[in-house]
Amino acid sequence: MYYLLGEKLGHSYSPQIHRHLGEYTYKLLEKAPDQLGDFLKNGTFSGLNVTIPYKKSVIPYCDALTPIAARLGAVNTIIRQSDGSLLGHNTDYFGFETMLKRSGLQVQGKKVLVLGTGGASQTAVAVLQDHGAQVVAVSRTGENHYGNLFLHQDAAVIVNATPVGMYPHAGSAPLSLALFPQLEGVLDCIYNPTRTKLLMDADTHGIVAMNGLLMLVAQAKEGAEWFTGRKIPDERIDAIYTTLQKQMTNILLIGMPGSGKSTIGSLLARKTGKRFVDADVAFEEKVGCSPAAFLETKGEAAFRALETEVLAELGQQSGLVLATGGGCVTKEENYPHLHQNGSIFWLDRCIDSLATQGRPLSQATPLTKIYRIRAPLYARFADYKVDNNGTPEETVSNILHIWEEQL
Ligand code: NAP
């Protein structure tokens, strides 16, 4: 039996990843600090992954450490050897190195800022130093801190090894990328959300932006090799990474009212096994009144404010197909909510074919006028524009083709 050992585990992707890696049983195991020693001394297990906050505190219970675990002073994998003794190892090094290599960023001789000074930071620093980078660890309390970042405007790469921007506190970033004119890329150890605010900023700057999912999968692959004693080809990392991305990412539909978002959305959900959510229905569930009725009585400004709350809640979930209301693009702050975990598709449909029944805004204003105002906003939000003048099946097939290609 294998476990992921931590204090509070919540939702973890690790059991899902390990199911793809071997035939062994892998479960989550929460232990309070005062239960840790007894479990490590007397517990029944063949191997463990160890996470926050125990990567250091398990070390005294290990009979031996691998050189990399000793160097990092942190253990994230424990293997029970044939004589019953416990070997402590660290697979985060391999995980981060895999992420760095896959990013394509060359760090030799360049300045790299590593944000945070915890476990992930120590791992990143070791890997980056081994790759010849000039590493500066930035700490809230250290010599290099967020108040004197101007000393490091020549940074080529930034690694976020803090929890800033992580679910459920997405939307914040540890620093502004505008300070770094020579920046080539950002690596964020966070994998939930898929795109932190920092990574969205990197996208905006047109530089490399990579999240921590590949690191997570790669470290698990090396852990599985230690558990089973069998080499697993590195290609499995990519296969599992793609599978997880398919499951986790949201497909978001934007477009004019009546452009077919609900029809296409429910078909897409059926094809992908994702959960379909209609933002109008979610609005009604939250507010107790349909968007149309709310708009008529309370007006558009009040409606848009509540709509943003609904989208913020939905956008942080994963594995959804979400049909949004036609006007959600009129508020820029909705963009990060929608984009953080998914790809945005603009369903474009000929104005004459748009349905207007039960849509007060479409009935009050000529559709051509609404379209003229909104088309640039749909373009701003959309990752992809998809024609929806053919059959629903054709549109769904186009979207799935694009979505799978970009994964
Ligand atoms: P940790 O040991 O708790 O360290 C986090 C560090 O971030 C702290 O030492 C602190 O450094 C800094 N920090 C904490 N709160 C902050 C805040 N509000 N503002 C600015 N800095 C803050 O955690 P960790 O294990 O290193 O994990 C860090 C992140 O990496 C987490 O999001 C975790 O999920 C992720 N991670 C991902 C993987 C993966 O496989 N993808 C693996 C490990 C960790 P200072 O006090 O020096 O500022």
Side-chain angles (χ1 to χ4, degrees), residues 8-247:
K8 289 196 179 63
L9 294 169
H11 177 74
S12 165
Y13 295 115
S14 291
Q16 219 174 322
I17 297 173
H18 280 275
R19 264 199 301 280
H20 291 289
L21 287 165
E23 300 283 295
Y24 48 86
T25 308
Y26 186 99
K27 291 189 174 168
L28 301 181
L29 186 67
E30 291 185 351
K31 291 279 175 198
D34 61 356
Q35 300 171 313
L36 189 69
D38 181 51
F39 173 72
L40 289 167
K41 280 191 271 188
N42 306 314
T44 308
F45 58 86
S46 309
L48 302 171
N49 281 144
V50 183
T51 188
I52 294 172
Y54 297 137
K55 288 186 185 181
K56 284 188 191 299
S57 33
V58 297
I59 291 178
Y61 301 95
C62 294
D63 299 290
L65 298 182
T66 59
I68 192 63
R71 178 178 165 200
L72 295 174
V75 160
N76 80 336
T77 305
I78 296 177
I79 307 103
R80 190 180 294 285
Q81 304 194 91
S82 50
D83 62 358
S85 65
L86 299 181
L87 174 66
H89 179 54
N90 193 309
T91 66
D92 283 335
Y93 184 99
F94 175 75
F96 185 79
E97 189 174 47
T98 303
M99 178 185 183
L100 175 66
K101 285 180 179 168
R102 189 60 49 81
S103 73
L105 292 164
Q106 302 298 323
V107 295
Q108 170 79 37
K110 294 181 187 165
K111 183 177 278 189
V112 179
L113 302 188
V114 178
L115 312 181
T117 52
S121 163
Q122 282 165 12
T123 306
V125 169
V127 172
L128 290 159
Q129 282 173 343
D130 291 351
H131 283 253
Q134 182 197 333
V135 185
V136 175
V138 178
S139 163
R140 288 166 299 176
T141 53
E143 181 190 340
N144 295 293
H145 51 82
Y146 297 91
N148 64 11
L149 287 171
F150 57 85
L151 296 173
H152 305 295
Q153 287 181 321
D154 53 342
V157 175
I158 291 177
V159 176
N160 180 32
T162 78
V164 180
M166 189 166 77
Y167 172 88
H169 304 294
S172 49
L175 48 69
S176 161
L177 299 184
L179 267 176
F180 307 98
Q182 296 172 34
L183 204 61
E184 297 170 29
V186 175
L187 304 179
D188 199 327
C189 294
I190 294 171
Y191 47 85
N192 184 9
T194 310
R195 288 185 198 89
T196 56
K197 177 166 185 338
L198 192 68
L199 291 181
M200 283 196 235
D201 289 351
D203 275 338
T204 308
H205 282 79
I207 58 176
V208 171
M210 192 166 175
N211 73 23
L213 186 61
L214 193 77
M215 175 179 175
L216 183 75
V217 176
Q219 66 78 25
K221 189 223 70 151
E222 202 206 352
E225 290 178 339
W226 281 89
F227 290 163
T228 61
R230 281 196 305 273
K231 182 88 188 127
I232 301 171
D234 280 353
E235 290 71 41
R236 292 292 301 141
I237 298 172
D238 296 293
I240 296 168
Y241 175 70
T242 306
T243 304
L244 284 181
Q245 272 195 310
K246 266 192 185 175
Q247 287 167 358

